[in-house]
Amino acid sequence: MERIFGKPIIDQEEMQKRIRDLGRQIASDYEGRDLLLVGVLKGAFAFYADLARAIQLPLRVDFLVVTSEYKHKKSGKVEIISDLSQNITGQDVLLVEDIVDSGLTVSYLKKSLMAKRPRSLKICTLLDKPERRKVKVDVDYIGFSIPNKYVVGYGLDYKNKYRNLPYIAVLDVSEEGDE
Ligand code: IMP
Ligand code: MG
């Protein structure tokens, strides 16, 4: 059985402070422009909701749902289960992710969104695990860089659980006695 390991590595207070700063930075970078904030579900839901409210601009919202293939992603295959509900051609798009790990998901999404010819496309991720990168990807806004540990909470899951934790914690995954 898996269990939460030790204390949170990012607690609620640190989280809210960092998101306020990111929100301010993004609002100033996009001032006077028409921003479309695109959340990658399910993982980004918590970060997205807080970030959107920290950006003091009249932005628009949309979402993509991708398969979570953490275990099978050696193939590098990312599937869009549910696509955007609007045309992004000519729009300033900011993609909001929970974590950039190998980089495969973000680089796939970047390619597929760029094909729709937005005016600009930037990436914002709550967490970054630079040690695990397999493909080079430019990330424009990073909440926190973290070590190479499996983490859950604040949208991130293990087998679709723990997404509702209000902080980020390391998960100790020992498959012993599991299933
Ligand atoms: P990628 O390897 O950069 O393509 O990341 C793919 C996805 O794997 C992320 O969007 C997360 O949903 C998931 N993921 C990567 N690392 C973790 C982790 O430490 N905890 C939970 N999910 C993770
Ligand atoms: Mg994700």
Side-chain angles (χ1 to χ4, degrees):
M1 223 0 220
E2 80 280 356
R3 63 188 175 84
I4 297 293
F5 183 82
K7 278 194 287 194
I9 60 165
I10 302 166
D11 66 25
Q12 292 186 64
E13 207 181 308
E14 274 181 280
M15 181 72 81
Q16 292 310 322
K17 183 178 178 307
R18 183 69 188 118
I19 293 174
R20 269 201 306 276
D21 291 346
L22 280 173
R24 263 190 229 117
Q25 195 191 334
I26 292 167
S28 108
D29 293 351
Y30 285 91
E31 208 188 331
R33 280 153 72 185
D34 228 357
L35 175 61
L36 174 65
L37 203 60
V38 172
V40 184
L41 298 178
K42 302 194 263 285
F45 83 95
F47 176 47
Y48 185 102
D50 286 347
L51 182 68
R53 287 175 293 176
I55 302 172
Q56 302 289 310
L57 290 176
L59 51 75
R60 284 173 304 125
V61 307
D62 208 346
F63 301 92
L64 279 169
V65 185
V66 297
T67 40
S68 88
E69 282 194 295
Y70 191 62
K71 279 187 169 171
H72 316 283
K73 69 182 181 193
K74 279 190 186 137
S75 61
K77 215 181 125 250
V78 181
E79 208 185 316
I80 296 176
I81 300 172
S82 172
D83 212 336
L84 296 173
S85 67
Q86 56 201 276
N87 185 0
I88 62 162
T89 307
Q91 302 293 312
D92 286 310
V93 177
L94 180 59
L95 191 71
V96 179
E97 256 285 18
D98 53 355
I99 186 166
V100 180
D101 187 34
S102 68
L104 292 169
T105 306
V106 162
S107 87
Y108 174 86
L109 291 177
K110 230 177 166 170
K111 227 175 278 167
S112 84
L113 292 179
M114 281 311 284
K116 298 178 177 177
R117 309 217 160 275
R119 178 169 182 260
S120 70
L121 175 63
K122 285 194 187 183
I123 312 291
C124 177
T125 186
L126 175 62
L127 304 176
D128 181 25
K129 266 194 219 173
E131 283 169 58
R132 300 249 315 164
R133 207 69 98 248
K134 282 190 191 146
V135 291
K136 189 186 174 301
V137 42
D138 291 325
V139 182
D140 304 277
Y141 304 97
I142 295 171
F144 301 89
S145 277
I146 61 164
N148 184 12
K149 295 264 162 45
Y150 196 85
V151 294
V152 291
Y154 211 74
L156 290 108
D157 74 310
Y158 175 72
K159 297 186 176 174
N160 211 13
K161 290 185 295 184
Y162 302 102
R163 293 193 196 272
N164 60 316
L165 290 179
Y167 49 80
I168 300 286
V170 173
L171 196 72
D172 187 1
V173 186
S174 98
E175 294 293 329
E176 213 175 299
D178 225 11
E179 274 145 321

